[in-house]
Amino acid sequence: MGLQRNYNHTTIVTIEKVIDETPTVRTLVFSDDVMPSVLPGQFAMVWIPGINELPMSVMISDESGKAAFTVRKHGVASTGLFNVKVGQQIGIRGPYGNSFDLKEGKLLLVGGGTGLVPMMRLLTHVKHTDDVTVLIGAKSKNEVFFEELANRLLTNNTHKVIVSTDDGSYGEKGFVTDLVEKHLNQTKYDAVYVCGPEIMMYKTVQSAHSRGVFVQASLERMMKCGVGICGSCCMGEDLVCKDGTVFDGEHLSQNKEFGNYHRNKAGILENY
């Protein structure tokens, strides 16, 4: 019997496939024994050799024994990961964090940008009998991705995948939070799940929680260690990497930093 993997030690994996989702978003596929079976909401710390380490939600793969990271090029580390080619290696630690508390019944899943990654994994856990609506938010048509995948993962006739774009170039025009308001006004949902930009999550959590609907959000903050030591990801009294990344609406409604402040790389609080 082999030694059990130490999740806090870096494991080196080789990128086997690169999928261009949009001009600024790519999915990097690799083989691994652990990452394909992580729970929705859990994350990994990803090391890009010679650049940095950053937290990433773990994307599902159609192929057995494989997982992926879907990255948007933005800062130095994310751009470095975006530029990794087939055959090159990266390091992974984890999985870390908790996961979504999946309810049954009428479910509303809301994803913006790469926040769609945990939503896609959550879709693989919903029951066939659940009535699931997926809202996808993007800035414009050329930034929409995972719509086809979401439709493929949902087989029940009552399932719906709806896209909104800020500029109206595809799907419904407006912010995805406008769609959230519309759906919560029209339908009684049993649970709402959201991941994406924090302002989007803040508005979604407020909309659901104020109506007494169970809601959970998977948060992203500055993370340097992933194990609750460095304190970079603190949000009030919470350490997002260790206490989250998934928090419910009741808890988030008590946190004055959520949706209002974030910490920069130096740990200084800044307004959104």
Side-chain angles (χ1 to χ4, degrees):
M1 184 175 179
L3 292 174
Q4 185 176 1
R5 177 153 149 185
N6 186 332
Y7 293 166
N8 292 324
H9 288 180
T10 300
T11 297
I12 303 300
V13 297
T14 301
I15 300 303
E16 300 171 9
K17 185 189 297 183
V18 175
I19 304 167
D20 286 324
E21 309 289 359
T22 77
T24 61
V25 177
R26 282 179 178 163
T27 296
L28 313 177
V29 183
F30 58 93
S31 295
D32 188 58
D33 295 332
V34 173
M35 293 299 161
S37 58
V38 303
L39 297 173
Q42 290 188 304
F43 70 99
M45 294 298 295
V46 181
W47 173 57
I48 306 98
I51 299 179
N52 206 340
E53 194 177 36
L54 77 166
M56 294 290 297
S57 295
V58 185
M59 182 58 188
I60 59 173
S61 173
D62 293 334
E63 303 174 72
S64 177
K66 298 185 190 301
F69 296 119
T70 298
V71 59
R72 182 188 299 277
K73 61 177 178 180
H74 179 65
V76 174
S78 61
T79 300
L81 184 58
F82 179 90
N83 290 332
V84 171
K85 311 296 184 190
V86 171
Q88 291 185 310
Q89 294 180 319
I90 58 173
I92 53 176
R93 287 192 289 121
Y96 298 119
N98 60 2
S99 61
F100 290 104
D101 180 11
L102 186 57
K103 306 292 186 182
E104 295 184 15
K106 280 189 176 293
L107 309 178
L108 181 65
L109 277 60
V110 188
T114 54
L116 284 163
V117 171
M119 295 297 104
M120 296 301 104
R121 187 169 290 276
L122 188 59
L123 284 180
T124 66
H125 288 252
V126 300
K127 296 184 181 299
H128 179 72
T129 53
D130 291 331
D131 181 351
V132 182
T133 298
V134 180
L135 304 182
I136 295 175
K139 290 183 178 180
S140 61
K141 181 178 181 179
N142 67 352
E143 286 297 327
V144 175
F145 58 98
F146 291 166
E147 179 188 9
E148 181 182 335
L149 174 61
N151 275 304
R152 237 179 27 225
L153 292 171
L154 296 171
T155 56
N156 191 315
N157 289 333
T158 59
H159 294 156
K160 296 181 288 290
V161 179
I162 303 169
V163 177
S164 69
T165 52
D166 297 355
D167 63 1
S169 54
Y170 184 74
E172 299 201 22
K173 182 177 182 179
F175 298 128
V176 72
T177 48
D178 298 331
L179 269 183
V180 171
E181 279 285 312
K182 175 182 173 182
H183 279 262
L184 289 176
N185 283 335
Q186 294 177 346
T187 305
K188 174 61 177 175
Y189 286 95
D190 295 292
V192 177
Y193 303 96
V194 60
C195 187
E198 190 160 315
I199 297 301
M200 185 203 86
M201 290 193 288
Y202 175 74
K203 291 181 179 178
T204 299
V205 169
Q206 276 195 321
S207 295
H209 185 64
S210 65
R211 292 172 169 85
V213 179
F214 176 81
V215 57
Q216 286 185 320
S218 177
L219 274 56
E220 178 183 344
R221 287 276 166 140
M222 178 67 63
M223 293 183 192
K224 297 178 182 178
C225 72
V227 294
I229 295 174
C230 72
S232 298
C233 67
C234 67
M235 184 181 68
E237 296 184 359
D238 294 319
L239 290 174
V240 173
C241 73
K242 199 162 181 68
D243 300 320
T245 60
V246 176
F247 298 90
D248 64 39
E250 181 64 33
H251 187 87
L252 290 173
S253 67
Q254 315 287 326
N255 194 309
K256 295 181 180 179
E257 289 187 21
F258 174 60
N260 297 301
Y261 304 96
H262 69 99
R263 294 182 186 274
N264 62 23
K265 292 182 180 180
I268 299 170
L269 270 180
E270 296 178 339
N271 291 319
Y272 268 110

